[in-house]
């Protein structure tokens, strides 16, 4: 199971390299550079130093006793990716890719961003390496995430608002790909999740595996054994892949990815691609997508901009079909409740993306015995979401008063 | 020999360069497309590329993105485009090529799409984001249905890959003139001729050049060494700017006639 992908970048029938001809050579160059440069002792040492001294790894594994007690079932552990530099797991991938780009001699980095977390992480790494940085962001997200736009600019990046299509994450990816097609010889495209044409899904997963490798070791130290269940939220799916992958060959470890059900899967306004999507081709990969029967992609919906994507990394589609991982979905409402709940119970404000995983643990843990261990990827911190949540809570209070 | 090959071979024999206009199907609606196809053929189009609109067209510049959005808003679907081709086919000799994205064609199912394309009378298909090696069954189905799968080559394509593409393409090889998205350009890269010569050295497959070409002068320059010249965005802009649906058809036809004029052999210099 952990041996995928094939040489052609296939995870079962998913993955591959569905890109315009102009970008084929760039993908080949990247695959070659990745295979040649990243295994070297020098690269591993440099990346290890950065993760440790710059990003603040290893991140803590925290036994969340209060929520465990309240739920009355399994012991819940939180892998604290929210404590990594820039406040989320995104930095792991970005440091790896920017170090690689630097060694490939690329001087200009482009990236897409939804809520702005990957954009901020990329801008951060570019500042560190002295690389030119441009971030594509849907015009709608630029308005909603003004603070992250300012952070990126503060870090020296140029933010390009994207006004085409639905003006959100998928359109930002389209525009980043168009930039890359145009400046392919000098530019490195730093994709933010386990998606895109081969080798991106593999490369990003491998840079995120540090999450699962650390968690495995830390839980061994704390409990002397492996977890029973892993839980992580899935948008593109990088924090989940990073946690799951080092456990794929341990059949006793269940893995559950939590998708955004938005206003409910039945409403049509959701981002639950693994639960309700169809096979399709989007952004360089064959995977599951939200599309109509003419093949037109339709916009996803989620309260969390980071999960608001109508596709998903191809390895998740493969893990779903094979039954190795399970995928469930949680509504905006439940995620919001979990956001508040975790803040009050453990003093940890999770990102709205992460709150989806927490919301599912509230359902799951009580069904499991006290001897069971659930390990949740606490993929990011929620400061960025405070304004959104404040607005919604105000509206809710207003409705209750009315 | 396919209709596309026969057309390009005949033109090459006459020392003439093919003009291949691109329009976006359903822009602004399929009624206009239905009027445009015969008008462009009458104005001198040798092959016509019909863009099948897709929600996420990553290889398109702003002009064709807008055209795709207009077409989708007007309810254009792949099935309706195929029906239109089927309706017009008996009245039109010009080879018709569908150009689109993998998700449009493969959502129908590779084999089903190939059969539907044959039944409609489609001569060729260009699948922008679907390399040959990713979907062998799809490409085999197109071949089995005698629908030419036209492959693209780019300035970044390696020598080894170029040989594979030249060998496997059907109808012609579409050479992408520049690294970039579709869209009119004031300047074209100087190395196009050299890159087309690289392909000539590998294969005698016809080579048509597209992306960026927007004036009769540029078409004439490229036409000196290419078998065909594709003009898309500049034509789509005329359709977009036209004052009425009728004007869209006449403006587009006038522009196609102007593009074609310098591609015809000068009197008396035609190769016998």
């Amino acid at each position: 199971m952990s041996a995928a992908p094939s040489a052609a970048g296939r995870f079962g029938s998913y993955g591959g390299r569905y890109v315009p001809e102009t970008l084929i050579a760039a993908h080949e160059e990247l695959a070659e550079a990745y295979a040649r440069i990243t295994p070297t002792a020098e690269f591993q040492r440099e990346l290890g130093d950065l993760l440790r001294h710059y990003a603040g790894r290893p991140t803590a594994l925290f036994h969340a006793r209060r929520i465990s007690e309240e739920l009355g079932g399994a012991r819940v552990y939180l892998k604290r990716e929210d404590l990594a530099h820039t406040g989320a797991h995104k930095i792991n991938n970005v440091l790896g890719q920017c170090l690689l780009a630097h060694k490939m001699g690329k001087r200009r980095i482009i990236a897409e961003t939804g809520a702005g977390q990957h954009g901020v992480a990329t801008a951060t790494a570019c500042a560190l390496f002295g690389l030119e940085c441009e971030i594509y962001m849907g015009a709608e997200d630029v308005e909603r995430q003004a603070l992250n736009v300012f952070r990126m600019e503060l870090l020296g990046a140029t933010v390009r608002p994207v006004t085409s299509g639905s003006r959100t994450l998928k359109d930002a990816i389209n525009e980043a790909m168009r930039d890359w097609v145009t400046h392919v010889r000098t530019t490195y495209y730093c994709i933010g999740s386990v998606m895109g044409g081969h080798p991106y899904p593999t490369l990003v997963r491998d840079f995120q595996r540090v999450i699962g490798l650390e968690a495995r070791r830390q839980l061994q130290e704390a409990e002397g054994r492996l977890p029973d269940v892993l839980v992580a939220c899935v948008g593109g799916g990088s924090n989940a892949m990073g946690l799951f992958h080092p456990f794929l060959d341990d059949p006793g470890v269940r893995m559950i990815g939590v998708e955004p059900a938005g206003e409910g899967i039945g409403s049509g306004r959701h981002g639950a691609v693994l639960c309700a999507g169809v096979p399709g081709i989007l952004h360089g990969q064959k995977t599951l997508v939200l599309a109509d029967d003419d093949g037109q992609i339709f916009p996803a919906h989620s309260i969390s901009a980071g999960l608001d994507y109508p596709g998903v990394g191809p390895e998740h589609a493969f893990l779903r079909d094979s039954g190795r991982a399970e995928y469930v979905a949680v509504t905006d409402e439940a995620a919001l409740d979990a956001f508040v709940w975790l803040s009050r119970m453990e003093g940890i404000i999770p990102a709205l993306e992460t709150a989806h995983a927490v919301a599912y643990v509230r359902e799951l843990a009580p069904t499991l015995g006290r001897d069971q261990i659930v390990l949740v990827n606490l993929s990011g911190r929620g400061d960025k979401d405070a304004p959104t949540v404040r607005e919604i809570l105000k509206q809710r209070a207003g409705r209750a008063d009315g | 020999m396919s209709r596309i090959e026969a057309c390009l071979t005949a033109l090459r024999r006459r020392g003439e360069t093919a003009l291949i206009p691109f329009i976006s199907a359903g822009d602004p609606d399929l009624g206009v497309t239905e009027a445009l196809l015969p008008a462009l053929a009458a104005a001198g189009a040798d092959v016509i590329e019909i863009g099948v609109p897709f929600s996420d067209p990553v290889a398109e510049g702003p002009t064709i993105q807008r055209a795709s959005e207009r077409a989708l808003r007007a309810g254009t679907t792949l099935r309706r485009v195929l029906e239109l081709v089927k309706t017009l086919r008996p009245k039109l000799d010009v080879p018709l090529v569908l150009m689109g994205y993998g998700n449009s064609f493969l959502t129908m199912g590779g084999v089903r799409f190939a059969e539907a394309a044959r039944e409609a009378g489609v001569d060729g298909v260009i699948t922008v984001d679907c390399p040959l090696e990713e979907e062998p069954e799809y490409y085999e189905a197109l071949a089995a249905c005698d629908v030419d799968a036209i492959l693209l080559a780019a300035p970044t394509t390696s020598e080894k890959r170029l040989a594979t593409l030249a060998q496997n393409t059907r109808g012609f090889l579409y050479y992408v003139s520049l690294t970039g998205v579709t869209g009119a350009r004031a300047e074209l890269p100087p190395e196009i001729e050299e890159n087309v010569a690289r392909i000539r050295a590998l294969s005698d497959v016809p080579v048509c050049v597209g992306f960026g070409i927007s004036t009769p002068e540029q078409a004439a320059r490229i036409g000196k060494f290419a078998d065909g010249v594709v003009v898309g965005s500049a034509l789509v802009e005329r359709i977009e700017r036209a004052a009425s649906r009728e004007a869209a058809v006449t403006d587009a036809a006038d522009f196609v006639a102007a593009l074609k004029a310098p591609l015809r052999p000068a009197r008396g210099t035609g190769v016998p």
Side-chain angles (χ1 to χ4, degrees), chain A residues 118-132:
Chain A
H118 175 59
V120 168
T122 305
T124 298
C126 287
L128 178 68
F129 288 105
L131 298 168
E132 191 188 330

mmCIF file of all heavy atoms in Angstrom, chain A residues 118-132:
data_model
loop_
_atom_site.group_PDB
_atom_site.id
_atom_site.type_symbol
_atom_site.label_atom_id
_atom_site.label_comp_id
_atom_site.label_asym_id
_atom_site.label_seq_id
_atom_site.Cartn_x
_atom_site.Cartn_y
_atom_site.Cartn_z
ATOM 1 N N HIS A 118 -1.197 28.552 2.908
ATOM 2 C CA HIS A 118 -0.093 28.102 2.060
ATOM 3 C C HIS A 118 0.636 29.304 1.463
ATOM 4 O O HIS A 118 1.854 29.274 1.305
ATOM 5 C CB HIS A 118 -0.613 27.168 0.951
ATOM 6 C CG HIS A 118 0.452 26.766 -0.018
ATOM 7 N ND1 HIS A 118 1.592 26.094 0.370
ATOM 8 C CD2 HIS A 118 0.564 26.953 -1.372
ATOM 9 C CE1 HIS A 118 2.350 25.877 -0.701
ATOM 10 N NE2 HIS A 118 1.757 26.387 -1.761
ATOM 11 N N GLY A 119 -0.109 30.353 1.161
ATOM 12 C CA GLY A 119 0.507 31.569 0.629
ATOM 13 C C GLY A 119 1.460 32.192 1.643
ATOM 14 O O GLY A 119 2.589 32.575 1.301
ATOM 15 N N VAL A 120 1.026 32.254 2.884
ATOM 16 C CA VAL A 120 1.880 32.829 3.933
ATOM 17 C C VAL A 120 3.109 31.940 4.141
ATOM 18 O O VAL A 120 4.237 32.436 4.256
ATOM 19 C CB VAL A 120 1.085 33.000 5.250
ATOM 20 C CG1 VAL A 120 2.018 33.305 6.406
ATOM 21 C CG2 VAL A 120 0.044 34.108 5.096
ATOM 22 N N ALA A 121 2.897 30.631 4.152
ATOM 23 C CA ALA A 121 4.033 29.727 4.344
ATOM 24 C C ALA A 121 5.028 29.864 3.191
ATOM 25 O O ALA A 121 6.248 29.915 3.405
ATOM 26 C CB ALA A 121 3.539 28.281 4.454
ATOM 27 N N THR A 122 4.518 29.965 1.961
ATOM 28 C CA THR A 122 5.406 30.099 0.798
ATOM 29 C C THR A 122 6.148 31.428 0.840
ATOM 30 O O THR A 122 7.364 31.483 0.594
ATOM 31 C CB THR A 122 4.596 29.985 -0.512
ATOM 32 O OG1 THR A 122 3.870 28.754 -0.491
ATOM 33 C CG2 THR A 122 5.501 29.989 -1.731
ATOM 34 N N ALA A 123 5.427 32.503 1.170
ATOM 35 C CA ALA A 123 6.064 33.816 1.267
ATOM 36 C C ALA A 123 7.155 33.795 2.335
ATOM 37 O O ALA A 123 8.225 34.405 2.184
ATOM 38 C CB ALA A 123 5.018 34.889 1.579
ATOM 39 N N THR A 124 6.893 33.059 3.413
ATOM 40 C CA THR A 124 7.860 32.941 4.502
ATOM 41 C C THR A 124 9.133 32.250 4.019
ATOM 42 O O THR A 124 10.254 32.748 4.235
ATOM 43 C CB THR A 124 7.227 32.124 5.657
ATOM 44 O OG1 THR A 124 6.086 32.849 6.133
ATOM 45 C CG2 THR A 124 8.201 31.894 6.782
ATOM 46 N N ALA A 125 8.965 31.111 3.357
ATOM 47 C CA ALA A 125 10.139 30.362 2.886
ATOM 48 C C ALA A 125 10.907 31.162 1.837
ATOM 49 O O ALA A 125 12.136 31.124 1.796
ATOM 50 C CB ALA A 125 9.703 29.016 2.318
ATOM 51 N N CYS A 126 10.171 31.901 0.992
ATOM 52 C CA CYS A 126 10.846 32.703 -0.032
ATOM 53 C C CYS A 126 11.662 33.824 0.605
ATOM 54 O O CYS A 126 12.761 34.140 0.140
ATOM 55 C CB CYS A 126 9.843 33.272 -1.030
ATOM 56 S SG CYS A 126 9.189 32.003 -2.137
ATOM 57 N N ALA A 127 11.129 34.409 1.672
ATOM 58 C CA ALA A 127 11.896 35.427 2.388
ATOM 59 C C ALA A 127 13.177 34.789 2.936
ATOM 60 O O ALA A 127 14.273 35.333 2.793
ATOM 61 C CB ALA A 127 11.063 36.026 3.521
ATOM 62 N N LEU A 128 13.031 33.603 3.498
ATOM 63 C CA LEU A 128 14.176 32.915 4.090
ATOM 64 C C LEU A 128 15.256 32.581 3.057
ATOM 65 O O LEU A 128 16.442 32.709 3.323
ATOM 66 C CB LEU A 128 13.689 31.625 4.772
ATOM 67 C CG LEU A 128 14.758 30.750 5.415
ATOM 68 C CD1 LEU A 128 15.374 31.439 6.618
ATOM 69 C CD2 LEU A 128 14.165 29.404 5.820
ATOM 70 N N PHE A 129 14.811 32.145 1.871
ATOM 71 C CA PHE A 129 15.782 31.753 0.836
ATOM 72 C C PHE A 129 16.139 32.892 -0.110
ATOM 73 O O PHE A 129 16.938 32.712 -1.022
ATOM 74 C CB PHE A 129 15.227 30.588 -0.005
ATOM 75 C CG PHE A 129 15.188 29.279 0.719
ATOM 76 C CD1 PHE A 129 13.998 28.747 1.183
ATOM 77 C CD2 PHE A 129 16.360 28.564 0.940
ATOM 78 C CE1 PHE A 129 13.961 27.535 1.846
ATOM 79 C CE2 PHE A 129 16.344 27.347 1.598
ATOM 80 C CZ PHE A 129 15.141 26.837 2.055
ATOM 81 N N GLY A 130 15.509 34.052 0.052
ATOM 82 C CA GLY A 130 15.777 35.172 -0.847
ATOM 83 C C GLY A 130 15.251 34.935 -2.253
ATOM 84 O O GLY A 130 15.893 35.283 -3.234
ATOM 85 N N LEU A 131 14.076 34.317 -2.374
ATOM 86 C CA LEU A 131 13.496 34.021 -3.680
ATOM 87 C C LEU A 131 12.342 34.971 -3.978
ATOM 88 O O LEU A 131 11.625 35.397 -3.067
ATOM 89 C CB LEU A 131 12.975 32.576 -3.703
ATOM 90 C CG LEU A 131 14.010 31.472 -3.490
ATOM 91 C CD1 LEU A 131 13.319 30.142 -3.242
ATOM 92 C CD2 LEU A 131 14.950 31.371 -4.684
ATOM 93 N N GLU A 132 12.171 35.277 -5.274
ATOM 94 C CA GLU A 132 11.046 36.102 -5.706
ATOM 95 C C GLU A 132 9.763 35.275 -5.543
ATOM 96 O O GLU A 132 9.761 34.079 -5.847
ATOM 97 C CB GLU A 132 11.266 36.455 -7.183
ATOM 98 C CG GLU A 132 10.357 37.500 -7.732
ATOM 99 C CD GLU A 132 10.523 37.627 -9.258
ATOM 100 O OE1 GLU A 132 11.640 37.376 -9.759
ATOM 101 O OE2 GLU A 132 9.529 37.942 -9.919
#
